[in-house]
Structures are given as structure tokens and as C-alpha cells.
């Protein structure tokens, strides 16, 4: 394959219609089975780690594993207290934030696996050397937007729960410009735009960063791939292979920060938006 074909191949999801793949921006007839599999797998792993920590909790001198989980819980709970000022709501929102952080962190970590390892294994398992497979769920817009829309749904639920259905509807038409009848339509439009833009940016931020990281890993992989495509190890091929090792290692180390930061930002924005649902205008 050419470099362009190589990258394009890695950006196509395995669906129930494979080898056919989605060509339109929106097509609900396709199910990205690889995204579903790896998102569920990483979710189960995150759940298993937290469940194991809960089962092993003990009074006294904690193990390093218990201490690490306790620090993480205290860290998330502290952020939640700063954003959500309703103690009763925090009993649900804080664990939600911890779940979101851990799940996204593990989905993002899939990006650190060698870019061709799992696709190569999948191709040899199926016997189809052109089989598609994407292993980073958060590099799929379906995953990130689904999570962002879930947060939007929770925002609506808490708006109604805290303010009442009538109070929330009144707020939609009276904020931010004031409770005047000629301002009802501008107020309503501004609030709808706010909900839409927050949800869109919430999902797109995570997707954009992970998608870009995925592309860069593929470009780096092409450096070493030049050796295999040439059929002989010339000086330039050896140089490209060495550059791949150096660049791949450097980007992987830096990408660890990106992986953790994006999980953290998604969690914080979840707290911010749910905290705003408790505030009256």
C-alpha cells in the first residue's frame, strides 16, 4: 500500500457490513463493532480495578494499590466539591466523574499499543489480510459524542430535578437577557445554542486530540515501514527506522500526558456542566 492507503486503511472501522464501510458523515445503518468491543473491554478493565480496590480496602496501613486508589478518589471528590455545590447530588456525580475519568483513560491508553499489532493479529485471525480494525474507541467520533450527549441528558435531568420543570422552562426563556416578553425568543435561542455548543465541544475536543495522536503514530510507523517496502536495507532505510524508534518513543512519552489530560478535562467539564445545572440565573 502507499502511505496514503496505509493511513486510510487504519482509519476505517470494522462493521457488521465489512468489507463495506461508512462513506457518509452520518449513516446509522453501520455499527462500529471494533469501537463497541474495545470500549466495553476497557470499561470492564476499569471496573475490575476499582472493584478489586473496593474489596481489598482495609483499616490501618494501606497497600500501595489502596493508597493510589484512595488518592485518586480524594482527587476526584475534591474537584467535584469545587464544581457542584449540592452535597446530595455529589453522591452520584462524584462517582460518575471517577467512572468517566477511568473509562476514558483506559480507552485512550489503547493508543499506546503498536499501531499495527492488533490489526495484524485480527487480519491473521480472520484470514482476511485487508480486514479493518480500529482499537482506540475515543478516536471514533461516535464514542465521544455519545458520552457528551449523555452528559447533556444528565444536565437536563438535573435542571428539572433542582429547578422543577416549570422553573427550568422559565429560565430558558428569561435568561440571560432578562424576563421581558420581547426577549423570550432571543433568550431561548441563546440557551439552545449554549447547550448545543457545550455538547459539541465536549465531544469534539476528546475526539480531535485522540484522532490527531492516532494519525501521528501512523506517520511515525511509516518511517520504519519504508525499510519493509523497499525490499533492501539501504542507508536511508536504516536512518528512517532509527528515526521511527526515536520519534515513536518521544511521541509515546508525550502522549501519556495527552491521554491523562484529555480524560481529566472530560471529567472536569462534566462536573462544570452538571454544576451549572444546579445554578439559577
Amino acid at each position: 500500500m502507499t502511505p496514503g492507503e496505509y493511513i486510510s486503511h487504519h482509519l476505517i472501522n470494522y462493521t457488521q457490513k465489512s468489507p463495506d464501510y461508512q462513506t457518509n458523515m452520518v449513516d446509522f445503518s453501520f455499527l462500529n463493532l471494533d469501537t463497541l468491543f474495545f470500549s466495553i473491554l476497557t470499561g470492564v478493565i476499569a471496573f475490575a480495578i476499582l472493584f478489586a480496590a473496593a474489596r481489598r480496602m482495609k483499616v490501618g496501613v494501606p497497600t500501595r494499590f489502596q493508597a493510589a486508589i484512595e488518592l485518586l478518589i480524594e482527587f476526584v471528590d475534591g474537584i467535584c466539591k469545587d464544581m457542584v455545590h449540592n452535597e446530595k447530588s455529589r453522591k452520584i456525580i462524584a462517582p460518575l466523574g471517577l467512572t468517566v475519568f477511568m473509562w476514558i483513560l483506559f480507552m485512550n491508553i489503547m493508543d499506546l499499543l503498536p499501531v499495527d499489532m492488533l490489526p495484524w493479529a485480527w487480519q491473521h485471525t480472520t484470514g482476511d489480510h485487508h480486514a479493518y480494525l480500529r482499537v482506540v474507541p475515543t478516536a471514533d467520533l461516535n464514542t465521544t459524542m455519545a458520552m457528551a450527549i449523555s452528559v447533556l441528558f444528565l444536565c437536563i435531568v438535573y435542571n428539572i430535578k433542582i429547578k422543577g420543570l416549570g422553573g427550568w422552562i422559565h429560565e430558558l426563556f428569561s435568561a440571560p437577557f432578562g424576563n421581558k416578553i420581547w426577549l423570550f425568543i432571543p433568550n431561548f435561542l441563546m440557551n439552545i445554542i449554549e447547550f448545543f455548543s457545550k455538547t459539541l465541544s465536549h465531544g469534539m475536543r476528546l475526539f480531535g486530540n485522540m484522532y490527531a495522536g492516532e494519525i501521528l503514530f501512523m506517520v511515525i510507523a511509516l518511517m520504519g515501514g519504508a525499510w519493509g517496502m523497499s525490499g533492501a536495507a539501504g542507508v536511508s532505510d536504516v536512518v528512517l527506522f532509527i528515526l521511527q524508534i526515536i520519534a515513536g518513543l518521544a511521541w509515546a512519552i508525550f502522549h501519556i500526558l495527552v491521554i491523562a489530560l484529555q480524560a481529566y478535562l472530560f471529567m472536569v467539564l462534566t462536573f462544570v456542566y452538571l454544576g451549572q445545572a444546579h445554578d439559577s440565573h
Side-chain angles (χ1 to χ4, degrees):
M1 292 187 288
T2 66
E5 291 171 339
Y6 170 81
I7 292 175
S8 296
H9 186 274
H10 277 279
L11 295 178
I12 297 175
N13 289 93
Y14 178 76
T15 71
Q16 86 281 15
K17 297 183 180 181
S18 290
D20 293 335
Y21 57 90
Q22 183 175 332
T23 56
N24 298 324
M25 179 67 72
V26 178
D27 190 340
F28 292 108
S29 67
F30 285 89
L31 291 175
N32 293 345
L33 299 180
D34 45 10
T35 294
L36 288 172
F37 175 80
F38 287 110
S39 60
I40 293 172
L41 175 63
T42 52
V44 169
I45 293 173
F47 170 80
I49 290 174
L50 293 176
F51 182 76
R55 291 292 299 270
R56 297 177 184 177
M57 285 290 177
K58 60 182 180 180
V59 180
V61 180
T63 62
R64 285 180 289 183
F65 175 62
Q66 178 179 331
I69 297 298
E70 286 179 349
L71 286 173
L72 177 62
I73 292 173
E74 291 175 3
F75 172 70
V76 172
D77 190 57
I79 296 174
C80 187
K81 286 180 180 179
D82 292 336
M83 305 295 179
V84 182
H85 304 122
N86 186 304
E87 184 177 356
K88 186 177 180 181
S89 295
R90 286 201 301 269
K91 293 180 180 179
I92 296 176
I93 296 176
L96 170 67
L98 178 63
T99 302
V100 166
F101 176 78
M102 289 290 290
W103 193 14
I104 293 178
L105 181 65
F106 276 87
M107 286 193 286
N108 290 352
I109 284 174
M110 295 296 292
D111 209 14
L112 294 179
L113 295 176
V115 69
D116 285 311
M117 184 178 74
L118 292 181
W120 177 87
W122 175 246
Q123 289 167 1
H124 282 74
T125 300
T126 60
D128 179 3
H129 295 290
H130 294 283
Y132 305 119
L133 188 73
R134 295 186 69 184
V135 303
V136 186
T138 44
D140 185 349
L141 187 59
N142 294 283
T143 302
T144 59
M145 286 308 302
M147 298 184 76
I149 291 171
S150 299
V151 173
L152 171 64
F153 174 76
L154 286 175
C155 288
I156 294 173
V157 169
Y158 273 103
N159 267 296
I160 296 173
K161 180 181 178 180
I162 300 298
K163 304 164 189 175
L165 180 59
W168 180 54
I169 292 175
H170 177 266
E171 184 177 277
L172 286 176
F173 286 93
S174 62
F177 299 126
N179 189 16
K180 304 294 182 182
I181 191 169
W182 60 84
L183 295 175
F184 282 0
I185 293 179
N187 284 331
F188 180 75
L189 290 176
M190 286 296 295
N191 280 294
I192 294 301
I193 292 171
E194 179 184 357
F195 277 116
F196 178 79
S197 61
K198 287 194 298 187
T199 302
L200 185 62
S201 64
H202 201 192
M204 288 296 293
R205 179 182 291 104
L206 176 58
F207 162 73
N209 280 277
M210 298 311 300
Y211 185 84
E214 189 179 34
I215 292 289
L216 193 50
F217 273 122
M218 293 175 196
V219 172
I220 293 172
L222 286 170
M223 295 181 183
W227 188 338
M229 289 185 290
S230 66
V235 175
S236 61
D237 297 324
V238 174
V239 171
L240 284 174
F241 181 76
I242 295 173
L243 284 176
Q244 180 204 10
I245 300 299
I246 296 173
L249 179 62
W251 177 241
I253 293 172
F254 175 75
H255 205 56
I256 294 173
L257 174 62
V258 175
I259 284 170
L261 182 61
Q262 290 307 312
Y264 169 77
L265 287 175
F266 197 97
M267 177 192 70
V268 168
L269 288 174
T270 298
F271 288 154
V272 169
Y273 296 154
L274 292 175
Q276 290 175 344
H278 289 70
D279 299 332
S280 297
H281 298 284

